[in-house]
Amino acid sequence: MYRRARKVAASLTVAVLIVAGLAITALVRDEPPPPPVKKTAVADATGAGRATAAADDSRDGREGRGGRGGRERDPFGASCRTTIQGSTVTAFCHNPYPGTDRLQLHVECARWWDVDSDGAPTEAGPARHVQLTGRCWKEVDSAWVTHARVEP
């Protein structure tokens, strides 16, 4: 009798966990998606619509000239070369553009007990070289550099 009661209790516990997991999955799926990119349509003289980047061009004060999608983008972003030697990661970055780039090194360690790290953000001004370093206690699994535009 006791063995049967344990089986029933275990079955009920599994059923509750499954239902809870399904409910959480449904909640996660019901989250709203990120807002879509806003594009405006402009009708030409023939009445046919075409997609333009009027909102982006008016913000920059430029008109769309050539390039991909009929608009020109500001060049931005330092080029980085990342090397891993043992447990140390070094990223050498050079910013050839006139805008300032905020760089941050992220290191993911291979061992589960080793703490992953995010380096302090460092600004790379125009025509500047920056060296970013990070490390793990043991092996490095992956490393990457993120970029952010610094507004003047």
Side-chain angles (χ1 to χ4, degrees):
M1 186 69 181
Y2 181 69
R3 203 179 281 176
R4 184 172 183 175
R6 285 179 58 191
K7 285 184 180 180
V8 170
S11 298
L12 287 175
T13 303
V14 169
V16 167
L17 290 174
I18 290 173
V19 169
L22 292 174
I24 291 172
T25 303
L27 288 174
V28 169
R29 285 188 183 171
D30 289 341
E31 286 185 11
V37 176
K38 184 178 180 182
K39 291 187 179 180
T40 58
V42 177
D44 56 6
T46 62
R50 61 188 165 119
T52 64
D56 292 338
D57 292 338
S58 65
R59 181 187 66 222
D60 293 347
R62 297 176 295 156
E63 294 181 20
R65 308 181 291 271
R68 294 188 332 205
R71 60 182 179 216
E72 185 178 304
R73 297 203 180 260
D74 288 333
F76 167 75
S79 60
C80 296
R81 181 175 47 94
T82 305
T83 60
I84 299 174
Q85 294 179 340
S87 63
T88 304
V89 177
T90 306
F92 301 95
C93 300
H94 171 67
N95 184 12
Y97 301 114
T100 302
D101 190 2
R102 182 173 289 131
L103 305 167
Q104 188 173 9
L105 177 66
H106 306 276
V107 179
E108 189 171 305
C109 301
R111 305 290 176 124
W112 65 269
W113 47 263
D114 207 346
V115 179
D116 299 340
S117 64
D118 297 325
T122 304
E123 291 185 1
R128 295 285 184 203
H129 291 274
V130 176
Q131 180 177 341
L132 306 169
T133 58
R135 66 180 301 271
C136 294
W137 284 102
K138 289 280 187 176
E139 300 88 16
V140 175
D141 187 30
S142 62
W144 65 96
V145 176
T146 55
H147 304 262
R149 188 180 298 262
V150 176
E151 298 298 327

